[in-house]
Amino acid sequence: MRIAVFLLLLANLLLFVWTQGYLGGSTNPDARRVEEQLLPERLRIVARDEPPPPAEKQTVPAAAAAPAPVATRPPAESCQRWNDLAGTDADQIEQLLGERFAAFKATRRTLGEITGYWVFIPPLASREEANKKTAELQELGVREYFIVPSSGSSPLAISLGTYRNEEAARTRLEALRAKGVRSARVGARKSKSALSTLDIRGPATQAEALRQAIVALLPKAAAEDCQTAGEATP
């Protein structure tokens, strides 16, 4: 029994001495840890006595941007001008556009031959206002005036004189202003046989077909390009 206890103590003493390195083992306390490492050849020293560099941020590729929409140019536009049209002829062309060429839009201007000029006060809202204005003219010493009938071309305007040329009309206007008439102005007088001009705009691809259709409808009509006429197409 004593021999067993002695042998157990001796074994513990030998184990202690070996772990402390007194039997030729390494004196480095980390030596045992090194021996117990798994796959030490895969270890890599990043830095000595320096903090490791910050890890590079991995840039996540952005999602593929949606392709930009392809800019589409508006279709080319044509503009043709039809001059010196009688009122009925202009009406027929506008009817043709509505029935067969809806993509085209027409701008109509009615022009009349200037036969003279007149000095006038623009149309008033009612007969009572026109009478009130004539009373004011009388107080200013104006005796020559005429109220245009409601059925006239400028209903309830007040005519202050008609003249063959613009210079004479402006002379009359200056005389009226000297008396205190401030609302009078000069305007051109046009003949009743007015002519119309149509500017027709629409897709260039159908311009020639429209031109031929109008000529077939009105053989004497002729068109010119709006740019040639001095107006650029928008």
Side-chain angles (χ1 to χ4, degrees), residues 83-147:
N83 291 313
D84 301 331
L85 297 171
T88 54
D89 293 342
D91 293 341
Q92 292 184 65
I93 293 177
E94 290 179 337
Q95 183 178 357
L96 175 67
L97 296 179
E99 294 176 352
R100 296 175 50 189
F101 297 92
F104 287 84
K105 303 299 179 183
T107 302
R108 182 171 180 173
R109 298 193 305 276
T110 301
L111 306 174
E113 182 182 358
I114 296 176
T115 59
Y117 295 85
W118 67 321
V119 180
F120 68 102
I121 294 174
L124 298 166
S126 65
R127 184 61 136 176
E128 290 74 14
E129 290 191 16
N131 292 333
K132 181 180 179 181
K133 179 63 67 174
T134 57
E136 294 176 0
L137 292 174
Q138 291 178 1
E139 292 178 0
L140 294 173
V142 179
R143 298 290 182 264
E144 298 178 1
Y145 57 81
F146 172 73
I147 299 177

Side-chain angles (χ1 to χ4, degrees), residues 5-232:
V5 172
F6 176 77
L7 292 176
L8 181 59
L9 290 174
L10 180 61
N12 289 334
L13 180 61
L14 291 175
L15 177 61
F16 174 77
V17 171
W18 180 78
T19 56
Q20 296 298 318
Y22 295 119
L23 296 180
S26 174
T27 59
N28 188 348
D30 294 329
R32 185 177 182 85
R33 295 190 185 95
V34 173
E35 292 177 357
E36 293 177 354
Q37 290 179 354
L38 298 176
L39 304 176
E41 65 279 2
R42 294 189 180 181
L43 295 178
R44 181 170 63 89
I45 298 176
V46 178
R48 296 180 183 276
D49 301 329
E50 294 180 0
E56 295 182 359
K57 295 182 179 181
Q58 296 182 354
T59 57
V60 179
V70 180
T72 56
R73 293 184 178 181
E77 185 181 74
S78 69
C79 178
Q80 45 187 285
R81 176 170 296 171
W82 299 81
N83 291 313
D84 301 331
L85 297 171
T88 54
D89 293 342
D91 293 341
Q92 292 184 65
I93 293 177
E94 290 179 337
Q95 183 178 357
L96 175 67
L97 296 179
E99 294 176 352
R100 296 175 50 189
F101 297 92
F104 287 84
K105 303 299 179 183
T107 302
R108 182 171 180 173
R109 298 193 305 276
T110 301
L111 306 174
E113 182 182 358
I114 296 176
T115 59
Y117 295 85
W118 67 321
V119 180
F120 68 102
I121 294 174
L124 298 166
S126 65
R127 184 61 136 176
E128 290 74 14
E129 290 191 16
N131 292 333
K132 181 180 179 181
K133 179 63 67 174
T134 57
E136 294 176 0
L137 292 174
Q138 291 178 1
E139 292 178 0
L140 294 173
V142 179
R143 298 290 182 264
E144 298 178 1
Y145 57 81
F146 172 73
I147 299 177
V148 179
S150 300
S151 59
S153 58
S154 299
L156 298 181
I158 299 177
S159 174
L160 299 171
T162 58
Y163 304 88
R164 293 194 177 188
N165 56 67
E166 186 177 4
E167 182 179 358
R170 294 202 174 278
T171 300
R172 169 63 170 167
L173 178 64
E174 293 301 325
L176 290 170
R177 287 181 175 175
K179 291 184 177 182
V181 181
R182 302 303 180 192
S183 55
R185 63 185 62 180
V186 171
R189 294 172 60 87
K190 299 180 180 180
S191 62
K192 293 184 179 180
S193 58
L195 298 177
S196 297
T197 295
L198 286 180
D199 287 347
I200 304 176
R201 291 180 171 85
T205 55
Q206 303 178 36
E208 184 58 29
L210 172 63
R211 189 187 305 270
Q212 294 178 6
I214 294 177
V215 172
L217 184 66
L218 304 170
K220 295 183 178 181
E224 61 182 351
D225 188 81
C226 293
Q227 291 180 334
T228 303
E231 178 181 336

